[in-house]
Amino acid sequence: MVDPRLERADATKLDELREILAQQEGADGLCPIEMDRIYISHGAIQQVNEAVRSQTDKKKVLMVTGPTEILSNGKNVKEQVLSVLKQEFDVEWLMLKEEDGGLIHATPENSAKIESHLDDVGCVVGVGSGTICDLCKRATYAVNEENPLPLVIVQTALSVNAFSDGVSVMLINGVKRTIHSHYPSVLIIDLDVVADAPAEMNVSGYGDLIATWTAPVDWYLMKTLGMGGNFHTAPSDLIRLQCEELLENSAKLAAGDKKVLGDLSNVLTLSGLSMGIAGESCPASGSEHVMSHLIDMASGVRNTGICYHGTQVAVSGIISELIWDWLMNEFDPATVDIDKCYPSLEEMEPICKGAFDWLDDTHSAAEECWADYQKKLQRWHEHKEEFRTFLDHFDEFKQTVSPWLKKPEYVAKCMHDANAPTRYSQLNYPVDAVTARWAMTNCHLMRNRFSVIDLLYFCGVWSEDFVQMLVERAEALDAGL
């Protein structure tokens, strides 16, 4: 039975949420929420000084932004925040830029730029995107892991769920990696600012939540097969019902309904918190995210920008829904030859490296992926009995996870109602069919974490022909390529 208090959680009432979580069965397996305050209201950027004051007695503040101009009601949001901060603090404004003038990337190099400005700083204030947030979380953690520097984030669009978690997604050796950082001390979401954000950015946040219907199921599968994951139902229970209501209000989101935008603000923030509570990104990041990560990794070779994360995840989410739909309705465990499900390290190394070698001349991406993938492969070999039990009790597994899944037809319809892209070719940086097929086919080779695609690969199901079948089923939903 799901605790109705969890289902109706308010992200701004952190003490109440902590109390509810402490009362859940198995609560000792959940991680604490290490945030002090979340503001979600109209005019919330006026609270930035109160937020900083609550974190430090020092007068020096570092404000970190990207170069993109952000307007609300015709006014520059970054300059508004700066003006408010200067009423009480000595502010240094660090504007991060890439040498090529493109979008800012979450890289160790950009984190280091922030770290180099932190002497005598009492608090960092990050203003802008999920990338700025990830960089600030990482930089303030890296300078003192035991006692991270206070961090206030002013979120300017409902683009991703990354603003309220304790990890950073960083590009390391050309590969997307989720690494430990720390929560923002305070998160500020001004509903007037996010309402004026480009519609496609807020739709991106809606898209990021599509993972709600696939990532937790991947997480439970991982736990069932002994492949890791500190599984608990509470992180997903926290957002599932309110996500369902967002899906039902997809058309209102497309119309810019302010109440729905407020609901989206709350649910996205709860989604970020769910990852922190779990101690890993599994409640909101599964097979759909690794497809998206591979497309990002290929952007340099394709000489294109990186798409809005959430919309890219949502398109991949339709594919993941189709995969799970096939597993639940067409997979026959009796056909699996267990002895053929365990390729050796020697067999998999050239396959893994070959999938990524074309990304760079140094082969660093291929080496990075293989270093992580082989850990998963070794663990797969070590947990053969759990796999055998899974096959023997597959009907019980289906009964458990079926309430957590949505039909792909319904998810695609809701995305159409929200005016959200449903095809890779519709993204803000259109993804060609060759790249999209490559990402789908090889995404399981990228990282240590197990998903439904790993299961199908080891069972001999996952292949280019299977991916083609998924493409055709997606096409019938006006989705996919």
Side-chain angles (χ1 to χ4, degrees):
M1 176 71 71
V2 179
D3 188 332
R5 298 174 300 168
L6 270 183
E7 293 183 312
R8 288 295 170 198
D10 182 337
T12 67
K13 297 179 179 178
L14 289 176
D15 288 340
E16 182 178 301
L17 180 55
R18 289 184 181 100
E19 183 178 345
I20 295 169
L21 289 166
Q23 295 171 10
Q24 302 304 304
E25 184 178 351
D28 56 348
L30 300 175
C31 298
I33 300 172
E34 296 173 350
M35 292 185 76
D36 295 330
R37 183 74 186 269
I38 296 174
Y39 298 86
I40 303 177
S41 65
H42 296 281
I45 59 173
Q46 298 301 319
Q47 307 299 317
V48 67
N49 285 354
E50 176 184 306
V52 174
R53 204 184 310 123
S54 71
Q55 299 301 313
T56 184
D57 294 326
K58 291 185 176 183
K59 285 298 182 181
K60 185 174 179 182
V61 169
L62 178 69
M63 188 175 94
V64 181
T65 74
T68 304
E69 185 177 52
I70 300 170
L71 299 176
S72 178
N73 196 26
K75 297 179 180 179
N76 187 302
V77 172
K78 297 171 187 176
E79 292 180 356
Q80 283 184 275
V81 175
L82 179 66
S83 177
V84 174
L85 284 170
K86 281 186 170 180
Q87 295 171 15
E88 293 189 38
F89 301 99
D90 299 325
V91 187
E92 177 188 357
W93 183 353
L94 173 62
M95 183 184 295
L96 296 176
K97 298 179 181 179
E98 297 288 359
E99 291 184 4
D100 62 3
L103 294 175
I104 295 296
H105 299 308
T107 61
E109 293 77 16
N110 281 330
S111 176
K113 292 177 185 176
I114 300 173
E115 294 166 42
S116 69
H117 287 256
L118 296 182
D119 287 348
D120 298 322
V121 167
C123 183
V124 173
V125 177
V127 183
S129 68
T131 298
I132 291 296
C133 179
D134 275 343
L135 285 168
C136 289
K137 286 190 293 185
R138 181 59 189 173
T140 52
Y141 173 78
V143 293
N144 190 336
E145 295 185 7
E146 295 299 320
N147 188 26
L149 196 64
L151 172 62
V152 174
I153 291 292
V154 180
Q155 180 174 340
T156 55
L158 303 175
S159 51
V160 292
N161 61 1
F163 295 92
S164 54
D165 63 33
V167 299
S168 293
V169 178
M170 305 285 286
L171 195 63
I172 299 174
N173 292 325
V175 181
K176 285 288 189 78
R177 290 286 180 241
T178 301
I179 61 175
H180 191 65
S181 56
H182 77 117
Y183 284 100
S185 311
V186 181
L187 174 63
I188 297 174
I189 303 177
D190 189 318
L191 293 176
D192 298 318
V193 172
V194 298
D196 285 338
E200 61 266 27
M201 293 191 74
N202 292 334
V203 167
S204 177
Y206 165 93
D208 210 6
L209 290 172
I210 296 299
T212 301
W213 315 112
T214 49
V217 201
D218 278 328
W219 190 21
Y220 183 72
L221 174 69
M222 182 165 57
K223 175 254 185 185
T224 301
L225 293 172
M227 294 298 291
N230 183 32
F231 182 82
H232 195 291
T233 57
S236 299
D237 292 341
L238 185 64
I239 57 175
R240 191 175 289 115
L241 177 62
Q242 293 187 62
C243 274
E244 286 182 347
E245 292 170 349
L246 272 175
L247 287 181
E248 292 167 6
N249 286 315
S250 295
K252 290 184 178 180
L253 177 68
D257 185 282
K258 291 189 176 181
K259 181 184 182 304
V260 175
L261 283 174
D263 293 342
L264 177 59
S265 301
N266 187 58
V267 180
L268 264 181
T269 305
L270 290 172
S271 180
L273 290 174
S274 76
M275 295 187 280
I277 292 164
E280 51 193 337
S281 60
C282 293
S285 175
S287 51
E288 72 297 317
H289 270 70
V290 282
M291 295 182 213
S292 176
H293 289 337
L294 261 67
I295 291 171
D296 288 349
M297 288 162 56
S299 63
V301 179
R302 296 173 58 234
N303 295 312
T304 184
I306 292 179
C307 303
Y308 289 131
H309 170 79
T311 47
Q312 189 166 273
V313 163
V315 175
S316 301
I318 294 174
I319 303 298
S320 288
E321 289 284 2
L322 287 164
I323 296 167
W324 274 104
D325 189 66
W326 183 91
L327 188 80
M328 298 291 283
N329 294 290
E330 299 177 55
F331 177 67
D332 182 0
T335 64
V336 176
D337 184 341
I338 292 180
D339 292 332
K340 293 182 178 179
C341 295
Y342 293 87
S344 67
L345 288 171
E346 291 75 18
E347 290 176 81
M348 290 307 300
E349 182 174 4
I351 294 173
C352 179
K353 289 183 177 180
F356 304 106
D357 251 344
W358 65 282
L359 292 175
D360 60 81
D361 294 335
T362 65
H363 312 294
S364 57
E367 293 291 346
E368 174 71 26
C369 290
W370 171 242
D372 219 34
Y373 180 82
Q374 63 182 297
K375 299 172 187 175
K376 175 167 62 179
L377 184 59
Q378 288 169 335
R379 195 163 60 250
W380 173 245
H381 279 265
E382 292 165 2
H383 292 275
K384 196 170 185 176
E385 285 309 308
E386 285 92 334
F387 180 44
R388 193 184 304 276
T389 301
F390 168 81
L391 294 175
D392 289 343
H393 298 274
F394 183 60
D395 286 342
E396 295 172 25
F397 174 84
K398 290 199 298 183
Q399 186 175 5
T400 298
V401 303
S402 60
W404 304 340
L405 290 161
K406 291 289 183 189
K407 296 296 289 183
E409 295 84 358
Y410 178 66
V411 172
K413 176 187 179 301
C414 290
M415 289 176 61
H416 284 126
D417 290 345
N419 285 338
T422 57
R423 295 175 179 270
Y424 291 114
S425 58
Q426 296 171 340
L427 297 174
N428 58 308
Y429 289 101
V431 179
D432 60 276
V434 172
T435 301
R437 287 177 187 273
W438 167 80
M440 284 186 271
T441 304
N442 297 289
C443 61
H444 62 105
L445 300 169
M446 176 207 165
R447 66 180 180 182
N448 191 358
R449 190 182 301 172
F450 197 91
S451 78
V452 63
I453 298 175
D454 291 287
L455 173 69
L456 295 183
Y457 182 82
F458 290 134
C459 288
V461 173
W462 194 256
S463 65
E464 291 185 3
D465 287 343
F466 190 85
V467 169
Q468 176 59 28
M469 178 271 292
L470 295 174
V471 167
E472 292 171 1
R473 292 188 180 186
E475 182 65 33
L477 306 178
D478 189 16
L481 301 181

